[in-house]
Amino acid sequence: MKDKKKPRMIFSDIDGTFLTPESKVSPRTAKALHAVLGQGIPFALVSARMPEAIYPITDQLGVTIPIVSYSGAYVLTEDEQLLFSETMVPEPTHRLLDVLESEYADAVVNYYAGRHWYVRDRENERVQTEIRITSAQPIEGNFSERLEAGERPNKILLMAEPALCERAEKDLAARFPEFHVVRSAPFLLEIMDKSVSKATGIDVLLKHYGILREDALSFGDNYNDLEMLEATGTSVAMGNAPDGVKKAATCVTAPNTEDGIWKYLKDNHIIDA
């Protein structure tokens, strides 16, 4: 931001940033969002989540705002108009699915295409945990059949123990240079087209609104937020972020347990209280 002016647009990660550790929106965060929107400043949620896992949050808050889903691969306006969708190339995706089935049997694989979430087993414990956290509803299906039918994924997600996720991140990134492979949590591994990052989605929305990167502000808490933090003129790391993320940001605010978004916006006179 130039000359400490108010931002013209604000972007926020969801889990670990906009939400508390209990996956709730704190009263102060909700108040901050409404105060920003009341000034006519667009506010977008940016997440690895699918749209159906973001809209329950905005519905609860009674707001309609733009969203960046699948870590930048799927962008929707405040009225749910699709602005951008980047999917994974079929041939390497077929190979990836084969590798996951043969070498990563202990991982739970999720196939996200547009506004559909496909799983092999709805009753799997990790799938049920995701349903409880996000309110999104999966469909049981065969991933290769979906791909062959032309329903290309925006994202493939692995759920596994942290050690397996760490190993898979290094292994799959080396074997599949066509894809962007990154952990969004110790037990979650996101796989998307190589061109995709949260910065991709931010650029789509900034162009849509006619706003420059330097006039935007972003909040994040994890390594998959780094591109987003680098894509805005001012970037704020949450107090609960790893040191590497804090070093990459313009400044650091309080953790998500202490209303970090609200505190930053208040302390910098972007909102009154």
Side-chain angles (χ1 to χ4, degrees):
M1 294 177 293
K2 289 182 175 179
D3 304 323
K4 295 186 178 179
K5 291 179 181 177
K6 286 189 177 184
R8 294 190 59 206
M9 188 163 188
I10 299 174
F11 299 89
S12 175
D13 170 57
I14 294 180
D15 296 286
T17 302
F18 192 78
L19 299 182
T20 68
E22 297 76 32
S23 297
K24 304 293 184 183
V25 181
S26 75
R28 279 179 165 172
T29 298
K31 183 178 181 181
L33 172 62
H34 284 283
V36 165
L37 295 177
Q39 297 178 55
I41 301 172
F43 190 110
L45 290 174
V46 183
S47 177
R49 292 182 177 215
M50 71 180 301
E52 274 60 33
I54 299 175
Y55 285 132
I57 299 169
T58 58
D59 289 346
Q60 175 194 346
L61 293 168
V63 298
T64 54
I65 59 176
I67 65 168
V68 175
S69 187
Y70 302 135
S71 298
Y74 203 78
V75 182
L76 295 159
T77 66
E78 62 272 19
D79 57 2
E80 301 188 32
Q81 172 194 349
L82 180 62
L83 288 180
F84 179 79
S85 177
E86 184 66 70
T87 56
M88 297 167 65
V89 178
E91 192 277 326
T93 303
H94 272 298
R95 288 192 286 111
L96 173 66
L97 291 173
D98 288 342
V99 167
L100 295 179
E101 185 171 358
S102 61
E103 300 180 31
Y104 290 92
D106 291 337
V108 177
V109 182
N110 302 260
Y111 187 104
Y112 291 92
R115 300 184 68 165
H116 296 136
W117 168 24
Y118 295 101
V119 297
R120 293 194 181 100
D121 177 13
R122 264 186 69 99
E123 302 308 313
N124 178 275
E125 183 179 351
R126 291 186 186 275
V127 172
Q128 285 295 312
T129 298
E130 187 74 2
I131 292 171
R132 286 194 297 272
I133 291 172
T134 67
S135 299
Q137 295 298 319
I139 304 165
E140 289 188 355
N142 182 291
F143 305 149
S144 294
E145 288 179 1
R146 298 312 328 140
L147 187 58
E148 288 165 9
E151 196 170 6
R152 291 162 54 168
N154 295 95
K155 181 183 82 169
I156 289 175
L157 171 70
L158 267 62
M159 301 169 173
E161 291 302 308
L164 181 57
C165 269
E166 184 176 1
R167 176 166 68 85
E169 181 179 31
K170 296 174 183 175
D171 175 40
L172 298 176
R175 293 166 70 177
F176 293 93
E178 305 92 342
F179 299 139
H180 184 79
V181 183
V182 62
R183 279 177 291 167
S184 56
F187 49 89
L188 297 176
L189 184 67
E190 318 275 346
I191 305 171
M192 299 151 292
D193 182 81
K194 185 70 174 180
S195 66
V196 168
S197 74
K198 289 186 175 182
T200 309
I202 284 177
D203 283 341
V204 169
L205 281 177
L206 288 176
K207 182 178 180 181
H208 176 71
Y209 283 96
I211 295 171
L212 299 175
R213 275 187 171 199
E214 63 198 71
D215 295 322
L217 164 69
S218 62
F219 293 93
D221 78 299
N222 218 325
Y223 287 106
N224 68 326
D225 295 322
L226 285 174
E227 292 93 345
M228 173 176 71
L229 295 174
E230 293 168 358
T232 58
T234 302
S235 56
V236 185
M238 305 300 287
N240 48 291
D243 287 343
V245 177
K246 290 177 180 177
K247 289 176 183 176
T250 307
C251 56
V252 179
T253 186
N256 64 330
T257 53
E258 299 173 21
D259 303 306
I261 291 178
W262 169 84
K263 179 172 172 52
Y264 176 86
L265 295 174
K266 178 181 68 71
D267 289 350
N268 288 273
H269 311 291
I270 296 167
I271 61 174
D272 292 333

